[in-house]
Every structure is written in structure tokens, then in C-alpha cells.
Amino acid sequence: MSSPIFGQLESSLAEYLADITHRAQFGDEHTAATVARFELPRLVEALKAVLDEHEPDQFGRCPSCRTSRFGRTPAPCRAYLSAHLCLLATDDEPTAVEVTTPMRRPVVLAEPSSFGMLNAPGC
């Protein structure tokens, strides 16, 4: 369960974003220009700050996202992917998502005789 402070932060941020979206979409020309001039730069700076927290290190891994106790997620992490998909991907162009599976070594089954075992009589 999230803390009451986080809930309040989350709801106030959601209200702020909904208000800006509503004013930009449904406001008159002056209101839309005001949103573009004053609120848009603040939103860009906020997004940059979030993405700076997720900038990959010298090994290409996100310092903020963890997949396990000792590991880090490979870059681009979900923050970068979400930002890219929300801002740059359009319905006209298909988004190519590379799905990788962990590399596994092939399992080779050997005959018991190849282990140097002696075959018992009657086997």
C-alpha cells in the first residue's frame, strides 16, 4: 500500500497534468499559447530530470532500475522506452520491439560409455 504522502503527490500531479491537457486541447488560442509558452518548458524540464535519473552507465545499464537484487536492467530501461513510445511513436509507423531471450547452452546428452564406465556383464 502506498503512503498517504505519495498518494497526495500522485493525485496533485495527475490533476495538474489533466488541467494542462484540458487547457491545451479545449482552451481558446490565447490559453493554448499560454500553456505552450509557460507550461511546456516546465514539462520538458521535468521529463529531462526523470530521464537523467535513468541515463545508462558505462556498461549500458540503468542505475535506477533493478531487475534483481544484484543486477540492473539493460538500457534502454522502461523510463526511456515509455518516453520514446509516448512522444515519438505514431500510429502510422510500426514500432519495432526487439525481443531477446536469454542465451542458453545446448544440452548434450552423452552415452554412459563415454564417461569411462565399465559395462557390467548382462547390461
Side-chain angles (χ1 to χ4, degrees):
M1 182 173 190
S2 63
S3 70
I5 294 173
F6 177 75
Q8 187 177 10
L9 288 172
E10 183 181 27
S11 66
S12 66
L13 184 58
E15 288 174 15
Y16 169 75
L17 293 174
D19 179 54
I20 287 177
T21 302
H22 186 268
R23 288 190 293 155
Q25 287 180 338
F26 303 110
D28 59 3
E29 295 299 318
H30 178 23
T31 303
T34 302
V35 168
R37 185 168 293 125
F38 296 108
E39 300 298 332
L40 186 59
R42 293 177 63 204
L43 291 169
V44 169
E45 286 302 314
L47 181 60
K48 281 182 180 180
V50 169
L51 293 178
D52 284 346
E53 292 288 323
H54 294 271
E55 187 173 349
D57 61 11
Q58 67 270 19
F59 302 109
R61 302 202 178 268
C62 178
S64 297
C65 296
R66 287 183 176 260
T67 56
S68 67
R69 190 174 207 179
F70 301 106
R72 305 264 191 228
T73 58
C77 68
R78 287 186 180 199
Y80 268 88
L81 289 174
S82 295
H84 185 272
L85 289 174
C86 289
L87 297 173
L88 301 177
T90 64
D91 293 337
D92 297 339
E93 60 187 51
T95 56
V97 177
E98 181 180 338
V99 177
T100 60
T101 57
M103 292 182 60
R104 297 176 188 235
R105 293 183 184 164
V107 177
V108 178
L109 299 176
E111 294 293 323
S113 62
S114 67
F115 291 120
M117 296 182 175
L118 296 175
N119 288 334
C123 290

